[in-house]
């Protein structure tokens, strides 16, 4: 009986250890979204639906908004913004399994890091813009064939946090 218990305990421990790095992006963002020196912004599918039902917007913008399901943005703030941004960047990389994502772009220099990832899904696509200045996560039926759509998402996120 003790042997079975020990084997069971080891098995459960092994599974718990194997989970590290296998969080989805939402779960990894929860590790940093309530930090003291972080600005957090989120728009849900329901809000995008409300916006697309508004009469005062153009048909093009209405169609565009209806393609968005989720937008999350986290930005480090405060005196140690650069160090905190580095920490956020590392937390997302360490806790997220990005093997199912295609890296579209990477840029690094002595002051900044930026990576752009895409994951195509059956019902929606996911985009992750990961930098030491901000993290933007977007889901929806957007695709990169119309880069203008993605530029609009960045504008929405930037306006929301005063960038």
């Amino acid at each position: 009986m003790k042997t079975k218990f020990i084997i069971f305990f080891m098995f459960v421990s092994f599974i718990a250890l194997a989970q590290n790095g296998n969080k989805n992006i939402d779960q990894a963002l929860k590790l940093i979204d309530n930090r003291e020196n972080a600005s957090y912004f989120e728009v849900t599918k329901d809000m995008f639906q409300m916006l697309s039902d508004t009469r005062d917007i153009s048909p093009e913008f209405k169609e565009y908004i209806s393609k968005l399901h989720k937008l999350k943005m986290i930005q480090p703030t405060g005196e140690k913004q650069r160090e905190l941004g580095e920490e956020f960047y590392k937390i997302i990389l360490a806790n997220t399994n990005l093997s199912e994502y295609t890296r579209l772009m990477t840029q690094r220099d002595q002051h900044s890091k930026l990576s752009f990832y895409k994951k195509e899904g059956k019902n929606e696509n996911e985009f992750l813009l990961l930098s030491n200045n901000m993290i933007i996560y977007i889901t929806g039926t957007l695709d990169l064939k119309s880069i203008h759509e993605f530029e609009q998402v960045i504008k929405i996120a930037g306006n929301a946090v005063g960038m």
Side-chain angles (χ1 to χ4, degrees), residues 60-124:
E60 296 84 19
F61 192 68
K62 194 176 280 201
E63 179 185 342
Y64 165 72
I65 289 292
S66 70
K67 294 179 179 183
L68 295 171
H69 297 173
K70 184 186 314 177
L71 169 64
K72 291 186 177 187
M73 182 173 163
I74 298 175
Q75 184 174 22
T77 61
E79 292 177 17
K80 297 188 177 194
Q81 185 175 359
R82 184 177 307 274
E83 293 88 356
L84 192 59
E86 287 289 328
E87 182 182 337
F88 289 0
Y89 187 91
K90 289 175 184 174
I91 287 171
I92 297 299
L93 287 179
N95 289 285
T96 306
N97 180 1
L98 293 173
S99 65
E100 296 177 349
Y101 290 77
T102 302
R103 187 173 51 194
L104 301 173
M105 180 183 86
T106 299
Q107 181 260 323
R108 289 189 187 109
D109 61 31
Q110 64 187 27
H111 300 293
S112 66
K113 296 176 184 174
L114 179 126
S115 297
F116 185 38
Y117 298 90
K118 173 185 100 169
K119 178 181 176 184
E120 289 189 25
K122 191 181 230 182
N123 299 320
E124 70 179 14

Side-chain angles (χ1 to χ4, degrees), residues 24-47:
N24 67 34
I25 293 174
D26 274 328
Q27 292 168 333
L29 288 173
K30 285 193 184 299
L31 298 172
I32 58 176
D33 70 4
N34 62 357
R35 299 280 296 267
E36 184 177 313
N37 289 330
S39 293
Y40 179 74
F41 175 74
E42 178 178 2
V43 182
T44 65
K45 188 174 184 175
D46 293 334
M47 183 64 175

Side-chain angles (χ1 to χ4, degrees), residues 105-162:
M105 180 183 86
T106 299
Q107 181 260 323
R108 289 189 187 109
D109 61 31
Q110 64 187 27
H111 300 293
S112 66
K113 296 176 184 174
L114 179 126
S115 297
F116 185 38
Y117 298 90
K118 173 185 100 169
K119 178 181 176 184
E120 289 189 25
K122 191 181 230 182
N123 299 320
E124 70 179 14
N125 297 322
E126 298 178 40
F127 298 93
L128 176 65
L129 180 66
L130 179 60
S131 80
N132 56 348
N133 297 320
M134 75 178 77
I135 300 165
I136 300 175
Y137 176 56
I138 303 160
T139 66
T141 56
L142 299 165
D143 61 22
L144 288 179
K145 292 178 184 169
S146 175
I147 198 69
H148 176 70
E149 292 176 347
F150 191 75
E151 288 174 11
Q152 292 286 44
V153 172
I154 299 300
K155 271 187 194 176
I156 290 170
N159 288 335
V161 294

Side-chain angles (χ1 to χ4, degrees), residues 10-26:
M10 289 175 57
F11 178 73
V12 170
S13 298
F14 177 75
I15 289 174
L17 288 173
Q19 293 298 318
N20 192 20
N22 289 327
K23 291 176 175 45
N24 67 34
I25 293 174
D26 274 328

